Amino acid sequence: MPTTATTRPPRTRTTGTRAPGARRPTAAVLGHRDRELLSAVGCGLRDDEIAAALSLPEDSVAEDLARILAALGLRDRAAAIVHAFDCGLVLPGRGPRTGAARTAGPRVRLSVLGPLRAWQDGRPLRLGHLRRQAVLAALALNTGRTLSRQELLDGVWGVEPPEANVVPVYVYRLRKALRDGEGPDPVIAHDRCGYRLVPGAVELDVARLEELVAAVGTADRAGDPAEAVRLCSRALALFRGEPLAGLPGPLAERERLRLTERRIALVQRKSEYQLRLGRCSEAVAELFAVFAAHPLNEPVAALLMRALCRCGRQADALTVFDRARRRLAEDLGVAPSPLLRHARRTVLRGDQAGAGAD
């Protein structure tokens, strides 16, 4: 008895068109990470750009995107771009390429001249725990350089690196904290060599400090000590306490010492201009504060003695010498330097111009 062939219905592809009236799954079915990737696709980023923005291995981006396409029933990448707009993951004019043209200046303001702080459009940002902040500080203080994972480990953890590979995790968290708006537009870039701050994305107070110091030099060469004092005051006002206060790691410690010495040098320079202008009382006030915090700094002690002598306070100038001598002996086991001894001799002679001078 002949059998009747059974005709099978044509097979339909699940990633193709859907039956009329069938509803396509939305991005709500995706996890947070997959929505970020879909948003990046919607912004028109290439796979390598997505990998850099989201700290993903580049070869995994295509696999993750294929999985997302299947979950949403989408045909291809072009359909994914349309879908990202349809479900609100991407807004017109908010992609990274248009965003770059839209942003006229740095997206984030960062301060290291005190406890590490960051702001975006005047809004303070939460940067997380101190070790994560130390990673950001390392990147900020090496602007223009790419730091490898090993350099970050050495600078932030020193001789006791973590067992886990935490650097990419910390960078990912920092990217989220520093991100411009909701798009995948990172402030921290990543390539095969390591991590760096995107040029022009961050306004750093140290950079402003150096601009002002250069302007002080210009005013000095122009013979304008009053303008030099004003610029020194603006530079010193950038300091909000101890630089990088509380941040762990060898790099933060080195930079803390360097920036503190930078501040002390600025106070000395400002005081020299003030003495030149006859404003010795103003110089004494700032120098006393620095000497109290750094009693082993002999150039500061000598300049303070000179300023006190200019104000007619010889007894106070000699007291400064005695205090510095005592601390040098107790803490370092050394006698005062020739600079400090010369300052004492000039005070005893009543030479107001010579105390502490070269």
Side-chain angles (χ1 to χ4, degrees):
M1 180 176 177
T3 58
T4 304
T6 302
T7 304
R8 293 184 178 180
R11 181 177 296 174
T12 59
R13 296 175 59 186
T14 58
T15 57
T17 58
R18 289 178 173 266
R23 298 185 62 184
R24 186 185 304 280
T26 68
V29 305
L30 303 176
H32 175 71
R33 193 66 166 167
D34 286 347
R35 286 197 299 274
E36 285 186 324
L37 195 150
L38 182 59
S39 174
V41 171
C43 288
L45 295 182
R46 303 185 307 268
D47 283 3
D48 59 332
E49 294 174 319
I50 295 173
L54 301 181
S55 297
L56 294 172
E58 187 175 337
D59 55 3
S60 74
V61 173
E63 297 175 4
D64 290 345
L65 179 57
R67 176 173 49 76
I68 292 170
L69 292 175
L72 298 176
L74 299 174
R75 184 181 299 109
D76 52 25
R77 195 184 193 98
I81 293 174
V82 173
H83 190 75
F85 278 87
D86 287 345
C87 62
L89 286 178
V90 180
L91 300 177
R94 293 299 301 273
R97 312 203 192 287
T98 56
R102 181 188 78 250
T103 304
R107 300 193 297 273
V108 172
R109 185 163 59 91
L110 191 65
S111 173
V112 300
L113 298 175
L116 187 67
R117 297 287 184 268
W119 299 266
Q120 187 177 83
D121 298 325
R123 174 176 57 87
L125 301 176
R126 301 179 66 177
L127 300 175
H129 56 77
L130 292 178
R131 194 76 71 173
R132 191 187 304 164
Q133 292 181 33
V135 170
L136 177 59
L139 296 171
L141 291 166
N142 285 274
T143 302
R145 281 193 60 220
T146 296
L147 295 183
S148 68
R149 173 180 170 274
Q150 190 59 52
E151 286 178 297
L152 288 171
L153 287 172
D154 292 342
V156 176
W157 283 269
V159 296
E160 297 181 355
E163 295 183 3
N165 184 17
V166 298
V167 170
V169 177
Y170 283 13
V171 171
Y172 169 70
R173 297 296 182 190
L174 287 169
R175 275 178 169 153
K176 293 187 69 175
L178 301 172
R179 181 167 297 164
D180 181 21
E182 298 298 327
D185 195 7
V187 169
I188 302 173
H190 173 247
D191 57 34
R192 63 182 181 179
C193 297
Y195 303 92
R196 63 184 175 88
L197 292 186
V198 173
V202 173
E203 177 186 326
L204 188 62
D205 58 353
V206 170
R208 179 57 180 155
L209 175 69
E210 297 306 328
E211 290 174 1
L212 288 167
V213 169
V216 170
T218 301
D220 185 28
R221 290 188 295 273
D224 191 350
E227 176 65 5
V229 168
R230 188 185 71 83
L231 291 167
C232 283
S233 296
R234 291 181 60 186
L236 289 167
L238 295 173
F239 287 86
R240 301 174 294 100
E242 183 184 47
L244 302 169
L247 292 195
L251 185 143
E253 182 59 28
R254 288 195 304 270
E255 289 298 320
R256 193 157 33 241
L257 292 173
R258 181 182 72 84
L259 292 170
T260 297
E261 289 298 321
R262 197 77 166 128
R263 179 179 178 274
I264 293 172
L266 262 174
V267 172
Q268 292 176 264
R269 196 168 181 181
K270 179 182 176 182
S271 298
E272 291 282 3
Y273 295 128
Q274 289 171 321
L275 292 179
R276 195 182 305 175
L277 292 166
R279 294 156 57 177
C280 58
S281 296
E282 297 175 23
V284 164
E286 281 195 273
L287 288 169
F288 251 131
V290 175
F291 177 64
H294 305 278
L296 300 178
N297 189 310
E298 294 183 83
V300 169
L303 186 54
L304 175 57
M305 292 173 66
R306 178 181 168 195
L308 287 165
C309 197
R310 286 279 190 93
C311 293
R313 299 169 58 182
Q314 284 82 358
D316 290 334
L318 294 174
T319 298
V320 169
F321 175 84
D322 289 337
R323 188 179 304 170
R325 177 182 55 78
R326 186 167 55 252
R327 287 298 301 269
L328 288 167
E330 292 174 355
D331 294 5
L332 302 179
V334 298
S337 68
L339 173 68
L340 208 52
R341 294 198 302 271
H342 171 72
R344 180 175 181 273
R345 286 195 300 269
T346 54
V347 170
L348 290 173
R349 289 198 306 262
D351 183 359
Q352 295 184 0
D358 294 332

